Amino acid sequence: MSINLSKLTVRSVRDGIAAKEFSAREVAQVSLDHIAATEDALHAFNQVTPELALEAADAIDAKVAAGEDLPPLAGVPTAFKDNMNLVGTRTTCSSKILSNYESVYDCTAVRRMLDAGAIPVGKCNMDEFAFGSSTENSATGPSHNPWDLDCVPGGSSGGSAVAVSAAQAVLSLGSDTGGSIRQPGALTGTVALKPTYGRVSRYGCVAFGSSLDQIGPFARTVEDAAFALSAMSGKDPMDATSMNEPVPDYVAAVTNARANGMKGLRVGIVRDMLDMDGLHTRIKGMTEEVVGTFARLGATVGEVNLPTSQHALAAYYIIGPAEASSNLARFDAVRYGVRAPEAEDVMDLYMRSRAEGFGPESIRRIMLGTYALSAGYYDAYYGQAQRARTLIIREFAEAFADYDILVTPTSPEPAFKIGEKAADPLTMYLNDIFTIPVNLAGNCAISVPMGKAKGLPVGVQLIANHFAEETLLGAAAMLEREIRFDSTPPFVR
Ligand code: GLN
């Protein structure tokens, strides 16, 4: 039986293996072969892990042979962002400074995916330390968008987005501090979920902004994202910020939404975000159509404004770099990091190793963060940004008193050309104007493909209240069924 990678879903992989239509090893091998055939063009991976993949696949096949029940993600080829530790792989964060760092323990989210039967095919390219929106800030070179190889796939989890979009994997994990799952999801036509802060353990994921970071999945269907979230979620004693909230069956939430429809769901379009300068007109129009679709499906729709969220980008570029500068202090070539040769003393070692090991954007973030936290400026910058954040949190809480789902575009424009914005950090930062407020407020959000602009995929962002992932996934599944986006890029056909 031939395996059509771009049509595989979590369910079809597990059911096909259980019914012995194909083995887990065959699926893994097809995925590895496809990666080998496409990596020169895409560069989605920093490291491919055939040994780990085949070993995990054989363990699934042994279960089949023994007549055992299969776990939910059995045999599903899965890729992980290269900031997540997995024993047997390097965890480089696409940085020179960690280029030889071998994982010494497993990231909890990764471990939970593997315990649920997922097959690890490799570690994905990213912007260095997750700083960026294009994957161009990678020390290993940019990833390419399968919809147009001259374009970026977004970032910072660009490699993870490409792997799923180009059918190199069925699922992948990314991390999202200001949009790094949702924005590349939008630019590659994939479903991309940022869970509520605290929903998924961050243990073993190299920290960028500890009050903002959250791990989440990329998938080609909403149901597959739900499978991944169910596998990953829940309290982890190793991460004090992971919450002890019950983990509902997110796959059932998708099934139930399809059966019950949208009656009673309150959907609000964020009007002032839609009226922002720089938003591509097709994207604006399509976002309005999405709200029309929800209305047709029986939802109650209305409009909401989030005026304080206009300050989110400014607050984020204080809080994010402040936390990053402190998190990155450990890469000093003594505790972690490649050592510059021939240092004269320990200070010289720190300075030379860090200057040589970090790329320009990482250095920019460390400088911004250190400055914002320095004595005399602390209150003017960091304190002020935290106050803005509190107001943004309140603004979202008020909006969710009236609505279950808020709707915005995911990104103001479709994928741009490699090199187009690389020289202008500010234009690059603007890519996350719609996603960053959600990280500051800690809510969950998903990007669902809603169509194309300039021939390239674009996404709509649905936002829900803290720990309302069931509502979020249900609404996303309904929308997906109406939009019927063909997620297979021409490159793969
Ligand atoms: N693009 C944003 C930044 O560069 C968000 C990155 C992220 O979510 N990791 O900070």
Side-chain angles (χ1 to χ4, degrees), residues 5-24:
L5 274 175
S6 63
K7 295 287 175 265
L8 289 183
T9 61
V10 170
R11 229 181 246 285
S12 72
V13 171
R14 191 192 48 196
D15 291 354
I17 293 171
K20 301 191 179 157
E21 284 168 29
F22 40 74
S23 66

Side-chain angles (χ1 to χ4, degrees), residues 290-310:
V290 161
V291 177
T293 304
F294 276 125
R296 243 189 321 109
L297 292 170
T300 312
V301 305
E303 295 200 345
V304 60
N305 287 314
L306 299 173
T308 312
S309 295
Q310 285 178 24

Side-chain angles (χ1 to χ4, degrees), residues 96 333 337-345 348-354 356-357:
K96 254 171 81 180
V338 176
R339 280 184 191 198
E342 294 161 24
E344 280 165 21
D345 53 28
D348 189 44
L349 175 73
Y350 290 158
M351 296 207 307
R352 286 217 272 162
S353 304
R354 284 170 69 85
E356 284 167 28

